[in-house]
Amino acid sequence: MLRPESFESVNDALDMGSIERFPVLSGVFETWRRLGDGAAPTGVDALDLPPRALPYLMLVDLDGTKDAVIRLAGTAACDLYGRELKGTSVHDFFGARDAKLVLDGLLTVAETEAPMLTHRSYVSINGKPWSYVRLLLPIRPEGGRVTRILKALEPSKFSAVPVRSAPANRRAGL
């Protein structure tokens, strides 16, 4: 198992103009834009979203205490971790350093009410390194402030990150 401290996480913002390179994310983004008519919508119905996106979606609630909780998780994430993720907080899901990166992104989207496209690499709670491109979209339940974020992953960009092992003489302490 890889220790999160030994892996350099990546959290690189991508220009929203490049969203067309990611067909699933582009479809989710277009639906979100249509539903919000230029602003963050009050909600997104799964029936409105591209069916191929559904396994790669998460709905995250910002709880007002500088944490966020997964309200709904697609089957891809649940299958990957071997359990239902609903109710899992960002701090439960990530190590401290990655939790801060993830929360910073979620809170920025909530505060700016603007979508965010990001390339991420990190070590998961099960000790495996992953890389993906994600789209974060603000949602305003009941038309108030943004307290919910729709997170979508691009399936073609979701992969395990190869981990380089140390040379044999370094592993042996030589």
Side-chain angles (χ1 to χ4, degrees):
M1 182 180 301
L2 186 64
R3 293 172 36 129
E5 303 81 36
S6 66
F7 184 86
E8 188 64 34
S9 297
V10 173
N11 203 49
D12 293 330
L14 302 174
D15 186 293
M16 283 301 297
S18 67
I19 194 143
E20 294 301 322
R21 294 181 17 221
F22 311 105
V24 171
L25 298 183
S26 182
V28 171
F29 179 64
E30 287 306 316
T31 300
W32 176 85
R33 278 184 21 175
R34 182 175 38 81
L35 293 171
D37 197 27
T42 57
V44 176
D45 190 320
L47 296 174
D48 293 327
L49 294 165
R52 65 185 177 164
L54 297 178
Y56 301 95
L57 297 178
M58 277 190 186
L59 197 55
V60 180
D61 285 337
L62 301 173
D63 71 2
T65 66
K66 299 291 184 188
D67 203 357
V69 176
I70 298 170
R71 179 182 187 86
L72 184 71
T75 56
C78 294
D79 289 348
L80 180 68
Y81 294 106
R83 65 182 176 91
E84 173 60 57
L85 297 175
K86 180 180 178 180
T88 304
S89 78
V90 169
H91 283 98
D92 292 338
F93 199 84
F94 293 102
R97 183 175 52 194
D98 281 322
K100 181 178 179 349
L101 288 173
V102 170
L103 283 169
D104 286 350
L106 295 170
L107 293 171
T108 296
V109 168
E111 290 167 10
T112 63
E113 299 186 15
M116 180 184 289
L117 186 63
T118 312
H119 169 250
R120 271 195 44 75
S121 295
Y122 75 104
V123 176
S124 70
I125 54 177
N126 59 8
K128 295 181 182 176
W130 296 98
S131 177
Y132 58 87
V133 174
R134 73 173 182 195
L135 175 64
L136 300 176
L137 299 167
I139 307 290
R140 350 164 137 243
E142 292 108 39
R145 63 185 181 82
V146 173
T147 58
R148 195 164 286 156
I149 306 293
L150 177 63
K151 174 184 171 181
L153 303 182
E154 178 64 39
S156 67
K157 298 298 179 186
F158 185 75
S159 63
V161 175
V163 177
R164 295 183 194 136
S165 59
N169 60 347
R170 287 190 59 206
R171 282 195 306 263
L174 303 175

